[in-house]
Amino acid sequence: MAASRDNDADVIVVGAGPGGSTTAYHLARHGVRVLVLEKSEFPREKVCGDGLTPRAVKQLIKLGLTADGTFAEQGWLTNKGLRVIGGGVRLELDWPDLASFPNYGLVRTRHDFDDLLAKQAVKVGADLRTGVTVTGAVRADTGRVVGVTAEVDGEPREFRAPLVISADGVSGRFPLSMGLAKREDRPIGVAVRRYYQSPAKHDDDYLESWLELRSKEGGDKLLPGYGWIFGMGDGRVNVGLGVLNSSAAFGKTNYRRMLTEWLGATPPEWGMNDEANADGPILGAALPMGFNRVPHYTRGVLLVGDSGGMVNPFNGEGIAYAMESGELAAEVVAQALGRTGADRERALAVYPAELKARYGGYYRLGNIFVKMIGNPQIMRIATKHGMPHPTLMRFVLKLLANLTDPRGGDAMDRVINAMTKVVPAA
């Protein structure tokens, strides 16, 4: 499927994060000429928890990353499930055994994770150009986007294509240039994280989630938000915390100080209350949740991943949804490019409709969940009475990680699937 002489590609993908690279990979596999424009050079740092649930692992397998052996053989740290700490209880929950998803998760630093995905896209034919900062859209007289403006080595440049996919992450500069602002009625979080040298925790085979954060300063003080400790397998851990905008502390808290307060209460042998063990600064990022930027298709542009606010409101996971939406966008675009005019637009309209069908009800439930746990009293009651019941917590794990079999699943799967169907879509 060749681009016309006036175009640089059939499709331009803005951003080479997990969403952009996955989109480019599947487009190239469909025979589409795809140009990926990334402002950074690889490898590069990215603020993230680095933990990958089975949803993300499934997408990595689709990208062919197991072709040269297992993930463990290639240096990834695998994990069995989630260790939840709260209400005086410590509970280890294995990832569910499902037909639809693997039964293990992974950890990989974003420093080279994104690089690996971008290389997979290039391997199957995508044209990746780094050091290119996309600044806005090129529009036809009709208002339709027909390319992008960019800066390359400080010089202005235009790239043309009949379709553009915005995968430029949390900042969403490209959709903002089109007037697509974030919705204020949808949840958003703020997360901060830091790496620490921790021989005692670095090779943990569970992702660790803290529902309660406490500080020794001023007594046993309860801090807002939730925390995580993910072993990296290389002597380090990724430690972080998040606060949602439903919390009274959102926007009014020094999150970096709060992280060091919490870590000051952790066991000394973990090494996370000793500044000498810190590996790099504390960095922060926003978590755009529950479809907080729409529409996901308009005027020749599709939004993928964080650009379209697709972070899971239940657990803050963004990578899996960026990759899933990228795969879907590629399928829809590959179908649409063979059509023209109104027929093409009908084909492209499938993308937002399918996103709504897949995630709309689930994200609406998540939006309600975020409002509830923003109330500290509700969170305390839920933690106190829920944590001692492993069966209930296994249900909660399936719900929060969005891990069910759509057909032939167990009773928990059927309840969760029914809940997402009856709730109006976000």
Side-chain angles (χ1 to χ4, degrees), residues 196-267:
Y196 283 85
Q197 295 291 333
S198 179
K201 297 283 286 183
H202 83 102
D203 58 353
D204 196 345
D205 54 7
Y206 283 86
L207 300 178
E208 197 162 272
S209 176
W210 291 58
L211 304 184
E212 291 179 341
L213 306 179
R214 295 190 176 273
S215 167
K216 287 183 179 177
E217 296 184 21
D220 189 24
K221 182 174 70 174
L222 185 65
L223 302 169
Y226 62 92
W228 70 81
I229 301 174
F230 298 164
M232 303 302 298
D234 61 0
R236 299 180 302 160
V237 289
N238 179 319
V239 187
L241 61 82
V243 178
L244 301 167
N245 64 347
S246 58
S247 168
F250 185 83
K252 303 172 185 174
T253 302
N254 184 328
Y255 304 114
R256 289 167 173 79
R257 175 173 168 76
M258 192 166 82
L259 180 64
T260 57
E261 276 192 57
W262 166 44
L263 296 181
T266 59

Side-chain angles (χ1 to χ4, degrees), residues 280-344:
I282 299 174
L283 299 176
L287 301 173
M289 299 174 169
F291 289 161
N292 81 338
R293 183 181 279 115
V294 289
H296 291 124
Y297 170 71
T298 180
R299 295 167 282 166
V301 176
L302 296 86
L303 307 186
V304 160
D306 287 5
S307 180
M310 297 184 198
V311 173
N312 181 346
F314 281 106
N315 67 356
E317 179 180 16
I319 290 175
Y321 300 93
M323 297 179 76
E324 288 177 12
S325 61
E327 181 187 19
L328 173 62
E331 291 173 0
V332 170
V333 165
Q335 295 285 341
L337 283 171
R339 310 178 188 193
T340 58
D343 286 341
R344 177 178 287 186

